[in-house]
């Protein structure tokens, strides 16, 4: 664990609450506006946050999701790079539906244009809906996705080495070099999210920042200790990868105000959602044969090889059921309430939120956090203007940037970073 925590801000358009678009302080018509994101990111930079992060999933999940994710990450981050000077800019790319040469060139170019502030979050994507957008009937199975992802990242790193690449692998054939020299930080920071065994191994092998859906200190500790231990298997130091759980904070000037904001957003949520049907569709389970108010049947959860969604999500659903003894109905409601995410959610005063972050950090369950505010832009201001100053006064977070690149912010000294080398011919 480092002496100070790292903080990233997620730029999900309207925020992480499913009813955020209905709140009077929300600005749903602005989610495609550069000015909207500029205000948010400049507030994060003023607070000295490490980075902002843009997720990406090229599909529409439901009638409410277009308000959540509306911009292609690299396009928006390129525009934001011109509006900022220090804060890191992390974008997501699918290793399943892209080619490594194009991705390597796009990220390397943006890393130059931003002065070395770019991170690449590599994901395998999930769900058949995405596959159909790219001309496929179904999403590749789990093992195939991860084998492709591993080769993809190897090729990208080889291209970032600045050398001629001759690679003939199972998934890619690449012969050539990027027409660009290394950036001020050498190459973009590698970011990954994944809680399965394969995902943890990939994180330990290549990732420099790892996003996780840990929801309690005990399961946060399990993930943290496991990934840090795996780093040694790949010859890497523990501090070479930062573990950053996601947290959804409802912040008020008092505990009552924080909880009131959560209650207000819940009141605004759409009530005519078939939560049990949604959960059944996601898991591929017909819950009509079960007692909805009886113990959740663990045998109904799919094996990871049959689940087309994210493994972090499947693991978290299983943990919730086992640790909280949930019924089918309770799990379905919990999943819907959390905008179908699996992250730690907390509400209270800024002081209480800071206390909880400090507890996780000092317990060794996190190197920092991925902040998923429930409502943009209010949540960003609540966090940066109320919570961050408390963490700074406690010596838990920086008061000034000590460097200019994203790898500087994460404390990734050159000897801690992966060494880009030409990918071996196969």
């Amino acid at each position: 664990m480092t002496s100070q925590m790292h903080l990233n801000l997620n730029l999900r358009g309207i925020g992480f609450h499913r009813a955020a678009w209905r709140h009077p302080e929300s600005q749903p018509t602005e989610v495609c506006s550069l000015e909207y994101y500029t205000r948010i990111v400049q507030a994060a930079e003023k607070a000295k946050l490490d980075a902002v992060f843009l997720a990406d999933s090229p599909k529409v999940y439901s009638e409410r999701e277009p308000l959540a994710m509306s911009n292609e990450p690299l396009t928006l981050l390129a525009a934001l790079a011109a509006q900022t000077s220090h804060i890191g800019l992390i974008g997501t790319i699918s290793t399943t539906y892209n080619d490594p040469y194009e991705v390597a060139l796009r990220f390397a170019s943006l890393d130059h244009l931003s002065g070395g502030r770019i991170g690449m979050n590599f994901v395998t994507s999930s769900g058949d809906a995405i596959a159909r957008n790219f001309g496929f009937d179904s999403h590749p199975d789990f093992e195939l996705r991860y084998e492709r992802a591993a080769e993809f990242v190897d090729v990208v790193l080889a291209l970032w080495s600045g050398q001629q690449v001759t690679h003939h692998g199972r998934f890619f054939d690449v012969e050539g070099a990027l027409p660009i020299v290394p950036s001020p930080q050498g190459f973009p920071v590698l970011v990954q999210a994944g809680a399965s065994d394969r995902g943890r191994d990939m994180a330990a092998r290549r990732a420099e920042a790892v996003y996780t859906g840990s929801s309690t200190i005990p399961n946060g500790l399990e993930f943290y200790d496991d990934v840090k231990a795996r780093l040694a298997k790949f010859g890497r130091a523990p501090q070479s990868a930062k573990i950053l759980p996601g947290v959804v904070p409802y912040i008020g000037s008092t505990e009552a105000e924080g909880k009131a904001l959560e209650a207000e957003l819940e009141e605004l949520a759409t009530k005519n959602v078939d939560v049990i049907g949604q959960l059944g569709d996601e898991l591929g389970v017909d819950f009509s044969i079960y007692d909805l108010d009886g113990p959740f049947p663990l045998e109904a959860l799919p094996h990871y090889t049959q689940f087309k969604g994210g493994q972090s999500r499947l693991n978290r659903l299983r943990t919730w059921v086992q640790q909280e003894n949930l019924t089918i109905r309770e799990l379905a409601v919990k999943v819907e309430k959390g905008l179908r995410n699996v992250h730690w959610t907390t509400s209270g005063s800024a002081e209480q939120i800071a206390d909880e972050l400090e507890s996780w950090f000092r317990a060794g369950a996190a190197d920092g956090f991925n902040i998923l505010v429930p409502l943009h832009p209010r949540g960003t201001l609540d966090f940066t203007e109320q919570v961050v100053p408390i963490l700074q006064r406690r010596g838990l977070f920086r008061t000034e940037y000590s460097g200019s690149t994203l790898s500087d912010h994460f404390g990734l000294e050159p000897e801690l970073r992966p060494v880009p080398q030409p990918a071996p011919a196969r």
Side-chain angles (χ1 to χ4, degrees), residues 157 161 187 206 414-415 417-422:
L157 268 172
S161 73
F187 53 92
R206 289 301 193 197
E415 63 270 17
R417 306 202 65 198
V419 178
Q421 296 177 343

Side-chain angles (χ1 to χ4, degrees), residues 143 332 387:
E143 295 295 339
V387 178

Side-chain angles (χ1 to χ4, degrees), residues 65-279:
E65 287 295 326
L67 295 174
M69 298 179 184
S70 301
N71 294 280
E72 189 280 321
L74 282 190
T75 305
L76 179 54
L77 293 181
L80 291 170
Q83 307 295 321
T84 55
S85 60
H86 281 78
I87 195 164
L89 306 163
I90 300 171
T92 298
I93 198 75
S94 171
T95 61
T96 307
Y97 298 106
N98 285 283
D99 290 313
Y101 186 92
E102 178 190 13
V103 167
L105 180 57
R106 288 165 62 196
F107 273 89
S109 299
L110 188 51
D111 205 26
H112 265 287
L113 295 173
S114 66
R117 295 187 284 132
I118 297 301
M120 185 182 86
N121 177 46
F122 56 96
V123 301
T124 61
S125 299
S126 62
D128 291 344
I130 292 181
R132 290 191 289 270
N133 282 338
F134 292 90
F136 302 98
D137 292 330
S138 62
H139 196 49
D141 67 34
F142 173 79
E143 295 295 339
L144 192 66
R145 296 199 309 267
Y146 270 88
E147 288 176 18
R148 178 187 168 101
E151 186 177 332
F152 186 105
V153 175
D154 283 349
V155 175
V156 167
L157 268 172
L159 289 163
W160 283 343
S161 73
Q163 303 178 55
Q164 178 77 17
V165 172
T166 301
H167 175 85
H168 301 291
R170 178 180 180 186
F171 301 97
F172 306 108
D173 288 288
V174 179
E175 291 192 25
L178 294 184
I180 190 169
V181 298
S183 75
Q185 67 173 347
F187 53 92
V189 171
L190 289 168
V191 183
Q192 190 259 1
S196 68
D197 188 68
R198 285 294 299 272
R200 295 181 188 206
D201 256 0
M202 181 169 287
R205 181 170 177 263
R206 289 301 193 197
E208 300 177 278
V210 183
Y211 293 148
T212 171
S214 304
S215 55
T216 66
I217 288 179
N219 62 49
L221 280 166
E222 185 279 325
F223 182 89
Y224 186 99
D225 292 343
D226 182 61
V227 172
K228 294 286 186 175
R230 294 181 192 226
L231 288 167
K233 184 171 70 174
F234 296 100
R236 301 180 63 196
Q239 64 270 32
S240 64
K242 311 303 179 183
I243 310 299
L244 307 173
V247 54
V248 184
Y250 295 85
I251 304 163
S253 59
T254 64
E255 179 180 6
E257 283 188 11
K259 294 188 179 302
L261 174 61
E262 183 176 14
E264 181 182 13
L265 285 164
E266 281 301 300
E267 184 63 26
L268 291 171
T270 303
K271 301 299 182 183
N272 61 347
V273 177
D274 177 13
V275 295
I276 293 171
Q278 280 188 165
L279 184 63

